[in-house]
């Protein structure tokens, strides 16, 4: 298998004959077959080389297969020494390793995958994976026979996922008994022809996987927008249409090259193994694991893999999201605490979930308002009960004030382990050892060795933290953290030029993934958003606040209409006002129960029209609407089905001088915001019906 991969990686400039001779000395052809090989076209050479390698990998002598080469190619030169008797080779029907995992169609939208031990199948697309026999692993999560099927999302926005056949314990039985047991296990899932094909190629250490077509309302909603169908499957020309290609196509996936799959470094795997061991021992309580590093070094991928690895041994994992721009389980601009009980087998926009605690910050970055950012993290972290390991995800801003803010977070959260990522392409970041954190002043906290009056002290945070009753009686005393350094060679296609646009695409996909919850379950057809019935909310039932800009009260409804709003719950009672709207003077730190779109405002009846997937029993607690800098994706306005004529809210004649109409005009400007390049919002027409 390694030789086959080495052969396929050679450059296209070398001839097929030289590559075959260097990689496979025993595939030497005589002069006449070499001339015949030179007259073949490129696709013919590729097909011949693949068939030669498949035959040899299966244990067959290439000279015995008359369909592979011509008769003259199988004839030995007269001057050659007689070859010794061939050694006993395994039968082709029972191969130990195969260069290509065999795939067999098993009905409409279904395919069987037979994976030898330590082999992998890298793919792109969406499918449902069921392990019928053996044991496989996807993104660190182990799927064994008898386990429920798992939905796997392998997208082009992230590294492709691989189904790996892993080692599993085999009872001391004869091969005949193992095959009889496997045949009985497969009888309830497959027909006779499929079972016969599997038993013909069966080995005790292989794994049998069922791949099924998967269609969810979120996936259907995403691919319904023009330009987003490439996210899951990209159509590319193929030179060979065989049964494997047709079987995978019916499922909705495509086999990818191994180099496109997800690969972790040895240091990352070693760190993961240590963290899983510590989390399962529970000697010193549940660990708090803080993951930090610069942008695009693989922090989010590491967190997904670590969560899946922990779920192999424990029932749940807590997750604290402190990255405002690239959130994992919520739309962007949120700080949240979640309890994860199911594996994560896809990018963020495929697993949007409802957190235990969430606060809507309203912007993808915390610049110019660090104090509010710290206070929100403190508020959300106070709900952590220390009943499960906690993974803390941090921002990729680790220079200048971002590093000082990270030091404040380490002192505030008191993690037991700090996993620090570094890469040769990332900016220099000092090792965050316990001594370094103790000796450095943060943005709002001071070091132990220096006495400075810089804002509020750490005691002001820790004294107000609320834990469970047993934690109040015997609080956990942290004596520093253990630093785990991970060297990453994470391959990414982002550059400083296209990073912002790429991140914006991911944020838009997260918003669309959340809006996909509005769609009915499959197989019902999709409904355009303008065809769904919104909720009617009276003006005097909720308070309003624009979090990212100073907007005049006379223009507040222009900023709210056709905007992404956070549905929040504040402690103040907003009832009793005869007329509205009710405006808040300051942005409150309050629970966010979900999100929605203010799709219209009825000025005569004084009603907001809110479109949201939040259930009605939760909406009864909403009494505040927060509008931030997170915008609705433009495809929602311009690409909805069923619209004819002028598209609502879209125009080329837009008055950007209105306060709140852009991120620059009307915003709370500071010295840093004046220096930054401001990207204006989409030109949307704020019309009040």
């Amino acid at each position: 298998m390694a030789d086959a991969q080495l052969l396929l990686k050679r450059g296209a400039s070398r001839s097929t004959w030289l590559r075959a001779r260097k990689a496979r000395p025993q595939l030497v052809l005589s002069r006449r077959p070499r001339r015949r090989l030179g007259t073949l076209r490129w696709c013919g050479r590729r097909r011949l080389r693949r068939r030669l390698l498949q035959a040899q990998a299966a244990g067959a002598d290439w000279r015995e297969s008359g369909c592979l080469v011509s008769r003259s190619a199988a004839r030995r030169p007269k001057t050659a020494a007689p070859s010794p008797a061939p050694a006993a080779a395994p039968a082709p029907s029972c191969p130990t390793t195969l260069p290509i995992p065999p795939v067999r169609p098993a009905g409409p939208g279904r395919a069987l995958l037979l994976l030898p031990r330590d082999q992998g199948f890298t793919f792109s697309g969406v499918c449902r994976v069921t392990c019928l026999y053996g044991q496989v692993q996807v993104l660190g999560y182990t799927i064994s026979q008898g386990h429920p099927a798992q939905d796997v999302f392998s997208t082009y926005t992230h590294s492709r996922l691989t189904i790996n056949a892993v080692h599993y314990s085999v009872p001391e039985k004869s091969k005949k008994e193992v095959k009889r047991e496997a045949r009985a296990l497969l009888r309830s899932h497959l027909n006779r022809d499929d079972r016969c094909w599997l038993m013909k190629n069966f080995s005790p250490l292989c794994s049998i996987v069922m791949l099924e077509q998967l269609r969810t309302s979120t996936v259907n909603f995403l691919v319904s927008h023009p330009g987003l169908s490439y996210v899951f499957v990209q159509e590319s020309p193929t030179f060979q249409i065989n049964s494997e290609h047709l079987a995978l196509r019916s499922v909705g996936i495509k086999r990818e090259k191994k180099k496109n799959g997800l690969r972790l470094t040895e240091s990352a795997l070693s760190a993961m193994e240590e963290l899983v061991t510590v989390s399962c021992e529970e000697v010193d309580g549940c660990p708090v694991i803080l993951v930090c590093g610069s942008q695009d070094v693989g922090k989010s991928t590491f967190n997904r893999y670590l969560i899946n690895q922990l779920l192999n041994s424990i029932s749940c994992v807590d997750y604290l999201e402190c990255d405002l721009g690239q959130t994992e389980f919520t739309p962007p601009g949120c700080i949240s605490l979640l309890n994860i009980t199911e594996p994560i087998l896809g990018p963020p926009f495929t697993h949007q979930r409802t957190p235990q605690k969430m606060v809507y910050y309203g912007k993808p970055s915390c610049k110019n308002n660090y104090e509010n950012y710290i206070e929100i993290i403190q508020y959300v972290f106070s709900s952590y009960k220390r009943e499960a390991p906690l993974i803390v995800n941090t921002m990729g801003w680790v220079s200048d004030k971002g590093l000082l803010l990270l030091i404040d977070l380490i002192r505030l959260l008191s993690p037991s382990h700090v996993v620090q990522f570094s890469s040769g392409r990332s900016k220099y970041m000092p090792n965050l050892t316990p001594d370094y954190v103790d000796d450095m002043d943060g943005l709002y906290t001071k070091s132990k060795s220096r006495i400075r009056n810089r804002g509020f002290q750490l005691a002001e945070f820790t004294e107000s933290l609320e834990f469970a009753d047993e934690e109040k009686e015997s609080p956990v005393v942290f004596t520093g953290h253990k630093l785990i350094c991970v060297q990453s060679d994470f391959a990414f296609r982002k550059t400083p030029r296209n990073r912002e646009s790429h991140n914006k695409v991911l944020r838009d996909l997260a918003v669309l993934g959340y809006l996909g919850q509005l769609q009915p379950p499959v197989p019902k057809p999709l409904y355009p958003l303008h065809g769904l019935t919104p909720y009617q909310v009276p003006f005097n039932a909720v308070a309003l606040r624009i979090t990212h800009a100073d907007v005049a009260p006379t223009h507040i409804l222009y900023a709210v209409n056709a905007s992404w709003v956070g549905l929040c719950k504040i402690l103040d009672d907003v009832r009793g006002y005869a007329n509205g709207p009710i405006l808040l003077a300051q942005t409150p730190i309050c629970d966010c129960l979900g999100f929605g779109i203010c799709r219209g405002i009825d000025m005569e009846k004084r009603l907001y029209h809110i479109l949201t997937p939040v259930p009605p029993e939760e909406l009864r607690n909403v009494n505040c609407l927060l509008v931030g800098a997170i915008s609705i994706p433009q495809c929602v306005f311009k690409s909805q089905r069923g619209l004819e004529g002028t598209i609502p809210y879209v125009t080329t004649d837009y008055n950007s001088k209105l306060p709140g109409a852009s991120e620059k005009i009307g915003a709370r400007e500071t010295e840093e915001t004046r220096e930054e390049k401001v990207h204006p919002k989409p030109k949307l027409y704020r019309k009040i019906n």
Side-chain angles (χ1 to χ4, degrees):
M1 179 64 185
D3 294 337
Q5 291 179 354
L6 178 64
L7 177 62
L8 295 176
K9 289 182 180 179
R10 298 297 183 186
S13 60
R14 297 188 179 185
S15 66
T16 306
W17 157 245
L18 291 178
R19 283 180 284 168
R21 182 177 183 181
K22 188 170 183 179
R24 298 284 188 179
Q26 60 268 39
L27 297 181
V28 176
L29 305 178
S30 61
R31 184 175 301 174
R32 184 179 299 176
R34 288 206 305 268
R35 287 200 301 268
R36 176 180 176 272
L37 186 63
T39 59
L40 292 177
R41 298 178 61 184
W42 176 81
C43 57
R45 295 182 186 181
R46 184 179 179 184
R47 187 183 303 109
L48 177 60
R49 182 172 70 253
R50 184 185 296 112
R51 295 171 69 182
L52 287 171
L53 296 179
Q54 287 180 353
Q56 186 170 13
D61 191 354
W62 63 273
R63 296 185 179 88
E64 297 177 358
S65 181
C67 62
L68 297 180
V69 294
S70 64
R71 182 176 299 178
S72 59
R75 190 181 301 121
R76 291 195 304 269
K78 294 182 180 180
T79 57
S83 60
S93 60
C94 299
T96 55
T97 58
L98 295 176
I100 301 176
V103 178
R104 175 183 173 88
R110 302 175 68 192
L112 284 174
L113 178 64
L114 182 63
L115 286 175
R117 178 183 174 184
D118 298 330
Q119 293 269 331
F121 175 75
T122 305
F123 70 99
S124 61
V126 182
C127 67
R128 178 164 291 169
V129 177
T130 306
C131 185
L132 302 180
Y133 182 84
Q135 198 172 72
V136 296
Q137 195 174 87
V138 183
L139 199 59
Y141 185 73
T142 303
I143 308 174
S144 303
Q145 61 186 43
H147 285 190
Q150 298 295 332
D151 299 342
V152 182
F153 306 87
S154 182
T155 65
Y156 280 84
T157 56
H158 297 71
S159 297
R160 260 63 89 205
L161 300 184
T162 303
I163 303 175
N164 293 303
V166 296
H167 176 71
Y168 55 91
S169 59
V170 180
E172 296 182 358
K173 298 180 181 179
S174 63
K175 184 177 180 180
K176 185 176 182 180
E177 293 176 344
V178 173
K179 293 184 68 174
R180 185 185 300 113
E181 181 180 349
R183 187 182 292 107
L185 187 65
L186 299 175
R187 186 173 290 112
S188 60
H189 300 278
L190 306 173
N191 56 32
R192 182 177 179 182
D193 294 339
D194 294 336
R195 294 198 305 269
C196 292
W197 177 81
L198 288 173
M199 291 301 104
K200 183 179 180 181
N201 300 277
F202 180 82
S203 64
L205 295 179
C206 72
S207 298
I208 302 174
V209 179
M210 173 70 76
L211 305 176
E212 298 177 274
Q213 187 180 27
L214 174 64
R215 285 298 179 186
T216 64
S217 57
T218 300
V219 173
N220 292 343
F221 180 72
L222 285 172
V223 299
S224 65
H225 294 86
L228 294 182
S229 59
Y230 76 95
V231 171
F232 297 104
V233 176
Q234 289 185 354
E235 295 293 338
S236 59
T238 178
F239 298 99
Q240 187 176 9
I241 305 297
N242 50 20
S243 59
E244 174 190 333
H245 174 81
L246 296 176
L248 296 178
R249 187 173 182 178
S250 67
V251 176
I253 62 177
K254 185 178 69 172
R255 185 162 60 88
E256 297 282 347
K257 295 181 180 179
K258 185 179 180 180
K259 65 179 182 180
N260 295 333
L262 176 63
R263 292 173 293 178
L264 297 178
T265 60
E266 292 295 332
S267 58
L269 293 174
S270 176
M272 213 166 301
E273 182 179 359
E274 179 181 352
L275 294 174
V276 171
T277 303
V278 171
S279 301
C280 295
E281 288 179 354
E282 296 185 359
V283 176
D284 299 327
C286 297
V288 177
I289 304 166
L290 186 142
V291 182
C292 61
S294 58
Q295 295 179 342
D296 305 325
V297 292
K299 299 190 301 296
S300 299
T301 303
F302 179 86
N303 290 337
R304 298 185 197 109
Y305 207 101
L306 177 58
I307 290 174
N308 292 336
Q309 286 275 297
L310 291 173
L311 291 179
N312 290 330
S313 304
I314 59 180
S315 59
C316 62
V317 180
D318 286 339
Y319 185 87
L320 178 61
E321 182 63 80
C322 299
D323 189 356
L324 296 170
Q326 302 299 328
T327 51
E328 185 68 33
F329 299 100
T330 64
C334 299
I335 297 174
S336 57
L337 177 68
L338 298 97
N339 184 260
I340 310 301
T341 58
E342 298 179 355
I344 307 169
L345 303 178
F349 53 87
T350 61
H351 50 250
Q352 295 288 297
R353 301 181 181 179
T354 303
Q356 289 181 329
K357 196 86 167 179
M358 178 173 60
V359 174
Y360 184 46
Y361 186 82
K363 293 191 294 183
S365 174
C366 68
K367 291 183 178 180
N368 311 318
N369 200 0
Y370 313 108
E371 183 175 349
N372 190 31
Y373 174 74
I374 289 287
E375 291 176 351
I376 292 177
I377 292 180
Q378 170 200 352
Y379 175 76
V380 175
F381 181 65
S382 63
S383 299
Y384 175 52
K385 304 303 180 183
R386 303 187 184 275
E387 296 176 352
L390 176 66
I391 298 176
V392 182
N393 184 37
T394 59
M395 299 181 297
W397 181 36
V398 292
S399 59
D400 302 330
K401 291 185 178 180
L403 179 61
L404 303 180
L405 199 61
L406 180 59
I407 293 176
D408 288 337
L409 286 182
I410 293 177
R411 289 177 179 161
L412 171 63
L413 304 179
S414 298
S416 59
H417 296 78
V418 173
V419 182
Q420 181 176 347
F421 276 77
S422 60
S423 174
R425 290 171 289 187
S426 60
K427 296 182 179 179
Y428 170 75
M429 179 181 177
N431 290 335
L432 299 178
T433 61
D435 294 337
Y436 180 85
V437 175
D438 288 341
D439 295 338
M440 280 293 296
D441 283 344
L443 199 60
Y444 294 106
T445 61
K446 63 181 182 179
S447 63
K448 293 182 178 180
S449 58
R450 303 174 186 177
I451 302 177
R452 293 179 181 177
N453 185 13
R454 298 184 59 182
F456 44 82
Q457 306 296 328
L458 180 64
E460 298 182 18
F461 285 123
T462 56
E463 289 178 359
S464 60
L465 293 180
E466 297 181 0
F467 300 106
D469 295 337
E470 58 272 13
E471 297 292 342
K472 293 180 180 179
E473 297 175 358
S474 57
V476 179
V477 178
F478 294 96
T479 59
H481 61 268
K482 180 177 181 180
L483 178 64
I484 302 177
C485 296
V486 175
Q487 184 66 25
S488 173
D489 58 353
F490 191 72
F492 58 92
R493 292 167 288 183
K494 297 181 187 178
T495 62
R497 291 185 177 181
N498 66 1
R499 178 180 289 114
E500 181 58 32
S501 61
H502 187 88
N503 291 340
K504 187 179 186 307
V505 170
L506 296 181
R507 290 195 292 267
D508 289 347
L509 287 173
V511 173
L512 291 174
Y514 185 86
L515 292 176
Q517 302 176 23
L518 287 167
Q519 299 298 327
V522 178
K524 293 183 179 180
L526 290 176
Y527 294 120
L529 295 183
H530 64 83
L532 299 176
T533 304
Y535 293 95
Q536 295 181 352
V537 183
F539 279 7
N540 58 2
V542 293
L544 291 181
R545 175 64 181 171
I546 309 298
T547 63
H548 66 290
D550 292 325
V551 182
T554 54
H555 294 127
I556 194 74
L557 294 182
Y558 287 94
V560 175
N561 193 21
S563 293
W564 182 257
V565 295
L567 309 178
C568 304
K569 176 185 176 182
I570 59 178
L571 299 179
D572 297 335
D573 189 4
V574 299
R575 293 175 299 178
Y577 293 88
N579 298 319
I582 304 172
L583 305 182
L584 296 178
Q586 296 180 350
T587 302
I589 298 179
C590 56
D591 293 347
C592 181
L593 306 181
F595 298 91
I597 297 177
C598 182
R599 56 158 295 177
I601 299 177
D602 191 338
M603 294 299 297
E604 295 180 358
K605 298 181 180 180
R606 310 190 72 78
L607 296 173
Y608 304 109
H609 294 273
I610 306 296
L611 194 63
T612 177
V614 178
E617 55 271 16
E618 293 290 336
L619 290 177
R620 296 188 182 97
N621 300 321
V622 174
N623 58 0
C624 177
L625 301 180
L626 297 182
V627 180
I630 307 301
S631 59
I632 303 173
Q634 296 188 27
C635 59
V636 173
F637 294 96
K638 300 192 298 184
S639 304
Q640 291 193 63
R641 295 183 293 107
L643 290 178
E644 297 180 0
T646 304
I647 303 177
Y649 300 109
V650 178
T651 182
T652 57
D653 184 14
Y654 179 61
N655 186 7
S656 60
K657 296 182 179 180
L658 288 175
S662 66
E663 294 183 3
K664 184 175 182 180
I665 300 176
R668 302 185 184 97
E669 294 188 356
T670 60
E671 184 177 354
E672 294 185 7
T673 57
R674 297 190 190 99
E675 297 176 356
E676 294 177 355
K677 181 180 179 181
V678 178
H679 302 277
K681 285 186 176 181
K683 294 184 177 181
L684 307 178
Y685 179 59
R686 308 294 189 184
K687 179 182 178 183
I688 301 179
N689 296 327

